[in-house]
Amino acid sequence: MLSIIVPAYNEEENIENTCSVICGIMKENGIDFELIFVDDGSKDRTWELIDRLSRENKSVRGLKFSRNFGKEGAVFAGLKRCLGDCAVVIDCDLQHPPLLMVEMYELWKQGYQVVEAVKASRGKEGFVYKFFAKCFYGLMKSSSDIDMKGASDYKLLDRQVVDALNDLPERITFFRALSSWVGFKTAKVEFNVAPRNAGKSKWSFRKLFRFAMSNLTSFTNVPMQIVTVTGFLFFVAAIVIGIQTLVNFFTGNALEGFSTVILLILLTGSLIMIALGIIGYYISKIYEEIKCRPRYIISYDTVQRRDKEERNTVNDKN
């Protein structure tokens, strides 16, 4: 069975169409499946629609978070609760072409344990977004040896891979990279990012920047290494300026004033503050990890509701 995990946050305009399209594709191709919508604390009618669809179609299942925990939590909640022999994660807005799941499923049957859908193009994105994405993926590759060029959350994972991800103890996760980090036999398929079916993206530039920083620091210590390298360069500069100052002093060419001293104090002070900020950010991530709070809290599961209704029906008959 194929488990299809769909994180959803304020997607009332897309839920019904996404369900119809995916269920239609699976039935046309004779694939046994379960469709799991994970409501990430939506404030619109998203959960109401998911709950109704799960009542009308036994292949549809819904998980509702107690509040907004973020897409990473929604992805891992789906992976934890899915029952399939393999699982695929797909966006609710259908920018990930759902028909590609059939090709990914066929590759899985051929023995591939991870099938990654890679972006051939990023669709309609601004220059700034593309530039920062390129920088981010470049840093990830240079620091962790994980090539994330064109990477997306659209992946199919074998049950063994799903179990390996679920066994990871960390709370701050980056699914897009972790699914590559765990290894296993991997295949890649390309796709072009389609326009959103409806609604607007929930990712603002501020959210994307915070998401990138969190994932970068959880996967690499490059920012701290940058501080070390910069400190070394300042040390070399200090030696050069120190030698120059001593030469000027002993030759009687020392300049009056403290311009150089003031400049050095400003530069070193700025460097120290930046270094403390980066170190503090890493410490805050350590603090979040050692608290061991759950990645998410599920307040409602349609399968539990369905089981309860069936038990009540049996009790009524008895």
Side-chain angles (χ1 to χ4, degrees), residues 30-304:
I31 300 174
D32 184 24
F33 74 101
E34 64 171 352
L35 177 57
I36 305 174
F37 286 102
V38 185
D39 179 13
D40 186 19
S42 299
K43 298 176 181 178
D44 58 5
R45 295 175 57 247
T46 297
W47 176 250
E48 179 185 332
L49 295 171
I50 292 173
D51 189 42
R52 178 172 62 78
L53 290 169
S54 69
R55 293 175 185 274
E56 297 172 353
N57 188 342
K58 288 189 176 182
S59 296
V60 178
R61 179 180 178 184
L63 300 174
K64 178 179 173 60
F65 282 179
S66 60
R67 66 169 177 82
N68 178 243
F69 283 92
K71 186 178 181 181
E72 292 293 306
V75 169
F76 277 89
L79 292 175
K80 190 71 174 179
R81 298 295 185 98
C82 70
L83 304 174
D85 301 302
C86 58
V88 62
V89 177
I90 184 172
D91 283 355
C92 190
D93 54 20
L94 297 185
Q95 286 193 292
H96 296 157
L99 192 59
L100 191 63
M101 280 190 289
V102 178
E103 181 180 347
M104 297 165 77
Y105 184 73
E106 291 299 323
L107 286 169
W108 170 74
K109 291 201 295 186
Q110 293 174 24
Y112 291 99
Q113 294 173 284
V114 178
V115 183
E116 297 188 10
V118 180
K119 298 174 184 176
S121 68
R122 297 189 62 87
K124 294 183 178 180
E125 284 186 350
F127 171 77
V128 175
Y129 280 84
K130 290 182 179 180
F131 173 75
F132 277 103
K134 185 177 181 180
C135 292
F136 172 73
Y137 291 136
L139 281 171
M140 287 294 295
K141 183 178 180 180
S142 62
S143 60
S144 62
D145 275 341
I146 296 177
D147 187 4
M148 296 186 63
K149 183 179 179 181
S152 72
D153 290 328
Y154 194 13
K155 303 175 188 288
L156 185 145
L157 310 174
D158 180 76
R159 168 51 61 180
Q160 187 178 2
V161 183
V162 172
D163 291 341
L165 288 173
N166 286 332
D167 287 341
L168 294 176
E170 62 220 61
R171 299 298 185 273
I172 303 172
T173 54
F174 184 23
F175 172 70
R176 195 173 299 185
L178 284 174
S179 55
S180 299
W181 177 84
V182 293
F184 297 99
K185 187 177 181 181
T186 302
K188 294 184 178 183
V189 292
E190 289 190 341
F191 73 97
N192 293 309
V193 178
R196 283 181 62 89
N197 176 65
K200 295 181 180 179
S201 173
K202 309 306 182 293
W203 289 97
S204 63
F205 182 79
R206 178 171 171 270
K207 286 183 177 180
L208 283 172
F209 181 77
R210 289 177 60 187
F211 181 69
M213 285 301 299
S214 177
N215 293 328
L216 187 64
T217 52
S218 68
F219 233 83
T220 175
N221 61 355
V222 164
M224 297 188 95
Q225 292 175 354
I226 291 174
V227 172
T228 303
V229 172
T230 307
F232 177 76
L233 293 176
F234 267 85
F235 178 71
V236 172
I239 292 176
V240 173
I241 293 175
I243 294 173
Q244 181 185 18
T245 302
L246 289 174
V247 170
N248 288 336
F249 176 78
F250 286 112
T251 57
N253 295 322
L255 298 176
E256 296 182 359
F258 299 95
S259 300
T260 303
V261 175
I262 293 171
L263 180 61
L264 285 174
I265 290 174
L266 290 174
L267 288 174
T268 53
S270 300
L271 177 63
I272 291 170
M273 294 303 292
I274 292 171
L276 287 174
I278 293 174
I279 294 170
Y281 191 80
Y282 272 94
I283 292 174
S284 72
K285 293 300 177 184
I286 295 171
Y287 176 62
E288 289 179 22
E289 286 283 356
I290 63 175
K291 284 189 293 188
C292 291
R293 289 178 179 171
R295 298 169 185 160
Y296 51 83
I297 298 174
I298 296 176
S299 63
Y300 201 85
D301 184 340
T302 57
V303 168
Q304 293 176 353

